[in-house]
Amino acid sequence: MKAEKPSFPLNAWYAAAYDVEVGRKLLARTICKQKVVMFRKTDGHVAVLEDACWHRLLPLSMGSLNGDELTCGYHGLVYNAQGRCTHMPSQQTLNPSACVRSFPVVEKHRFVWIWPGDPAKADPALVPDMHWNDDPAWTGDGKLITVKCDYRLVVDNLMDLTHETFVHGSSIGQRAVAEAPFVATHGDRTATVTRWMENIDAPPFWAGQIEQARGYRGKVDRWQIITFEAPCTVNIDVGVAEAGSGAPPKDGRPGDRSQGVNGYVLNTVTPETDGSCHYFWAFARNYCLGEQRLTHQLREGVAGIFREDECVLEAQQIAIDEHPDHQFYNLNIDAGSMWARRLIDGLVARETSSAPVIPVRRTA
Amino acid sequence: MKAEKPSFPLNAWYAAAYDVEVGRKLLARTICKQKVVMFRKTDGHVAVLEDACWHRLLPLSMGSLNGDELTCGYHGLVYNAQGRCTHMPSQQTLNPSACVRSFPVVEKHRFVWIWPGDPAKADPALVPDMHWNDDPAWTGDGKLITVKCDYRLVVDNLMDLTHETFVHGSSIGQRAVAEAPFVATHGDRTATVTRWMENIDAPPFWAGQIEQARGYRGKVDRWQIITFEAPCTVNIDVGVAEAGSGAPPKDGRPGDRSQGVNGYVLNTVTPETDGSCHYFWAFARNYCLGEQRLTHQLREGVAGIFREDECVLEAQQIAIDEHPDHQFYNLNIDAGSMWARRLIDGLVARETSSAPVIPVRRTA
Amino acid sequence: MKAEKPSFPLNAWYAAAYDVEVGRKLLARTICKQKVVMFRKTDGHVAVLEDACWHRLLPLSMGSLNGDELTCGYHGLVYNAQGRCTHMPSQQTLNPSACVRSFPVVEKHRFVWIWPGDPAKADPALVPDMHWNDDPAWTGDGKLITVKCDYRLVVDNLMDLTHETFVHGSSIGQRAVAEAPFVATHGDRTATVTRWMENIDAPPFWAGQIEQARGYRGKVDRWQIITFEAPCTVNIDVGVAEAGSGAPPKDGRPGDRSQGVNGYVLNTVTPETDGSCHYFWAFARNYCLGEQRLTHQLREGVAGIFREDECVLEAQQIAIDEHPDHQFYNLNIDAGSMWARRLIDGLVARETSSAPVIPVRRTA
């Protein structure tokens, strides 16, 4: 996976931090192989600069924040929030080249997003839709884990939930997930995998949720609707409803989920290096909104599930590194991740060559 | 020692585990740079498969064992004990290429042996003779240590016991070992170093053994007869007898060891990577057979001696890595290891080229 | 900083140990990428040999010292203090090539200096002047720290004390250092940076010293006179005197420092590898000579200051390794380190090419 061609596009918004992580302390992080330092300005907006002093490369995150300016912790060069050097020790004239790179930044849906590519293309409208993360009709919480694998392995993992049966057997996995048919579709920037499992026993996790929220204990219709948005965001509409209560869509119209419980597993995965990534996730629900205890419980429960994935993903990366020329075979279950990979490859190809890119065609 | 040419032949039996290590749990180990997973089938025989799922390379050792079949811990592909995939999630048709490699395996002399090369050549008769390890006329026990050095450094170490004087001075070493003459001979697959030290004081280890077994405290005739079997097995016939009681061979006939104590240091060293190896050893004796306490004491005592070697071997490997082009000089004491190296090189050369190999000639 | 051309000259004296470190035990250390073993002979003089046995490369430092001879800890080869093998196991004839390299060594100013280059050029008169370290008119003590950076980054650090303001703000740093003008001069092997800060408040460290030594609490004249001697020694004449008492030089004549306190920060930095160095330092003073408590306190206080530098230097090295092609800009404050670098480059160039070296010209 030591890619010869880039493994990710630069012209995209990448989650760099949870909103609460960025304040009046300097936060250092590597995003898309670029070391950055983040801080919140006195007006509350976030600034993101290259984390290396123009003069001797010391990380600016080792310096100090005064107002909206950073002072380098070695020789005291001062930078404003745009990255321009405004003071040098023992000299009046500032070298006009003295600046560090600043990055376009947007704060949205509880994440701080940065754009590592061409700033002229940084359109805030392109930030992925993760509105469930701060929509008052939903409640939830999440975490950041840094996983030692190519971010695309996380995307693969999320695009095929068959693995729940084998990796998460004690919580959300069940035989039905590995056996139920699914439908994979895609658009120009998105790919979707839809799986309905009707009239089944709920797995332990969902059995608990629907009983707690609705006092229901019987058979359920279960759904998993996975939506990938290139290059690295995967939102999963999940839930169960009383079996036969009309939750599945019919004749092209949405079903009636009123007898069910619904959650969104929100995931956005930011490359750190070629072999590691920042995996931001949250679980939002539309039931028992006011119950803080449930929010806490769900966050820790999902965190436990994701630790199972982390273990698998890191072992997989090690195996891939040991077999650099391995040709992978795809199974039916890989349909979603194949489309996701193709969309990512398309974005990368558009940035790295002027040669024509084979167009991704829409399929049913 | 980052060898350009292979450092070991593939067509050979290599010890992969002690018999007791392999059971109904999955055991992962790297043998000759190949990651394998081992388990004991319901019929008691051992199966050894490549430890990487055909689909996404996850180590199968992270999965589960059901009957004689392995289930991958990521997407649930199932493999039989021959490595053929027998089940895939969400699909009926199995890709005919879906299998992982299985390895010829023999269980003999308390070790599980695998053959990493051409299965057609895997003749069980070629397993090295280490019968003292499960012969009722002998008793003993051993251990596995994994040492961070080329396996050939362990072979060198065992082929010249001069080092006992300097590395193991408090137990088996004594000036006599470094000073006594020895005879080195060899065959097509074996090399032997014979050293007799007559009428000497026994070193601490042997003084204790002969006193315990035979109540004898005087001068001894001591022997060390080292037999190397290519590529990586070294059995050492060691012991002491009352001085002058006739232990040394005479006129080509074996001596009379009845007034002595005799042990075999059994060693087989399996490459893990180019820079590390699994060192399986045991110490078997033909006296005080029923004394479990002595078996335990000898095993731990010898383990302590081998830790002294481990320290030297790892330091030597580091030094070799730092001097990749170093040309080594050989002393008289290196005669045995020179023959061992030559036999190993011959096996490797026969596998890697069709060019004629310079024949190893028999010498006195 | 993975330099293609050598980062240090070989024909120079390098501090390899503090005098007290070398005794009748074997001391292993890497000096200029060369592993050496040091010991004190029975006559008290220090011997320094290559730390790898001629036979199998085991570090001789793992062996034993008997009289003035080293015995290898593997097969018992014996070497005299000149590195010649004087004994081999099991053989009478010694291979005439059997020796390890020995290094010219001088003990001076409390350091053991070795010369890794051509022994014929090892003139003891070239040992850098650090006499304050054992001159009875001065007292003090020091330490060795091993820092994970190119030794030249330590030289840079010492040649520009502007950084005191930002790195050592709680002890010796103050705005005045970053703002005061300075003068940089150089010779064939030396570079000097002189900074006088007149009529200022003393920083915490010096306020304490002058009060303790002279009972004085008012404004001071402060000086820092940094002298670099190629390739890697930096002695810094530092101190404060009562403001206006005549400490600064006048009309080319030295000032009157009798109303002040004076120290020398003695530094010599020996490359260990391209990315690490042994940083030997001491702080000597010419006041309160008999007070052991003050010596102890100063040594530990300065050690704390140098730990702040260590943190900056290692972060800087990591950043440099990540930007191998980075072109550095120099500020006015870098005048001293630029000269130091140029002198080092000149020494290296003289060793590595016969091409003409651009002469370093003397400037005011």
Side-chain angles (χ1 to χ4, degrees), chain B residues 160 178 322 329-330 332 334, chain C residues 35 55-56 74-75 90-91:
Chain B
D160 164 37
E322 290 172 351
Y329 290 92
N330 292 307
N332 292 352
D334 297 314
Chain C
K35 290 195 171 179
H55 175 229
R56 286 291 176 264
Y74 200 173
H75 301 97
S90 300
Q91 66 185 65

Side-chain angles (χ1 to χ4, degrees), chain B residues 22 25-31 34-40 46-52 59-63 65 70 81 100-103 114:
Chain B
V22 184
K25 275 184 159 177
L26 300 172
L27 175 66
R29 190 159 284 161
T30 299
I31 302 297
Q34 171 73 56
K35 290 194 172 180
V36 300
V37 55
M38 296 178 256
F39 61 96
R40 211 171 272 278
V46 174
V48 181
L49 301 179
E50 184 185 354
D51 194 19
L60 292 175
S61 55
M62 292 176 73
L65 175 63
L70 283 186
V100 296
R101 202 174 154 197
S102 74
F103 294 86
I114 76 167

Side-chain angles (χ1 to χ4, degrees), chain B residues 133-259:
Chain B
N133 214 20
D134 58 358
D135 182 327
W138 296 79
T139 194
D141 203 359
K143 292 202 175 185
L144 161 61
I145 54 176
T146 298
V147 187
K148 291 196 233 20
C149 73
D150 186 313
Y151 78 103
R152 294 173 297 185
L153 296 187
V154 182
V155 172
D156 291 345
N157 175 287
L158 293 165
M159 293 305 287
D160 164 37
L161 298 181
T162 303
H163 78 270
E164 291 185 354
T165 310
F166 307 99
V167 180
H168 312 304
S170 64
S171 53
I172 52 175
Q174 60 182 163
R175 228 45 237 186
V177 178
E179 287 163 7
F182 58 89
V183 176
T185 61
H186 75 280
D188 285 342
R189 294 184 61 92
T190 61
T192 302
V193 176
T194 303
R195 179 182 263 139
W196 279 90
M197 295 151 276
E198 297 184 39
N199 199 31
I200 62 166
D201 293 321
F205 176 83
W206 284 117
Q209 297 300 301
I210 196 168
E211 182 177 358
Q212 178 162 2
R214 311 191 48 82
Y216 177 77
R217 293 192 184 204
K219 295 271 181 182
V220 296
D221 294 337
R222 180 181 181 186
W223 67 90
Q224 295 172 326
I225 302 167
I226 309 166
T227 303
F228 166 78
E229 182 169 347
C232 56
T233 297
V234 182
N235 295 321
I236 315 181
D237 172 13
V238 289
V240 295
E242 295 185 19
S245 64
K250 208 169 177 183
D251 304 329
R253 282 168 306 171
D256 169 13
R257 294 179 175 184
S258 63
Q259 308 304 305

Side-chain angles (χ1 to χ4, degrees), chain B residues 349 353-357:
Chain B
S353 87
S354 51
V357 175

Side-chain angles (χ1 to χ4, degrees), chain C residues 112-153:
Chain C
V112 172
W113 303 86
I114 76 166
W115 182 276
D118 178 359
K121 297 182 176 167
D123 178 358
L126 295 174
V127 171
D129 180 15
M130 303 185 84
H131 75 272
W132 304 270
N133 214 20
D134 58 356
D135 182 326
W138 296 78
T139 195
D141 203 359
K143 291 201 176 187
L144 160 62
I145 53 177
T146 298
V147 186
K148 290 195 239 9
C149 73
D150 186 312
Y151 77 103
R152 294 172 297 186
L153 296 187

Side-chain angles (χ1 to χ4, degrees), chain A residues 71-114:
Chain A
T71 303
C72 176
Y74 200 175
H75 301 98
L77 280 78
V78 177
Y79 298 89
N80 67 19
Q82 291 75 46
R84 174 147 301 284
C85 180
T86 60
H87 176 80
M88 286 176 175
S90 301
Q91 66 185 64
Q92 298 300 324
T93 313
L94 302 186
N95 187 315
S97 80
C99 60
V100 295
R101 202 173 154 198
S102 73
F103 293 87
V105 56
V106 167
E107 193 170 350
K108 198 169 178 184
H109 306 323
R110 299 216 42 217
F111 296 114
V112 172
W113 302 86
I114 76 167

Side-chain angles (χ1 to χ4, degrees), chain A residues 252-302:
Chain A
R253 280 167 310 169
D256 170 13
R257 296 178 173 184
S258 64
Q259 307 306 305
V261 284
N262 189 188
Y264 265 80
V265 187
L266 306 169
N267 309 277
T268 190
V269 193
T270 300
E272 182 191 42
T273 65
D274 283 328
S276 62
C277 59
H278 302 294
Y279 182 177
F280 296 89
W281 62 264
F283 182 83
R285 69 183 188 276
N286 68 355
Y287 55 92
C288 304
L289 292 187
E291 293 185 27
Q292 277 305 308
R293 188 174 173 286
L294 181 59
T295 303
H296 185 122
Q297 191 179 38
L298 285 170
R299 186 189 65 225
E300 295 308 316
V302 177

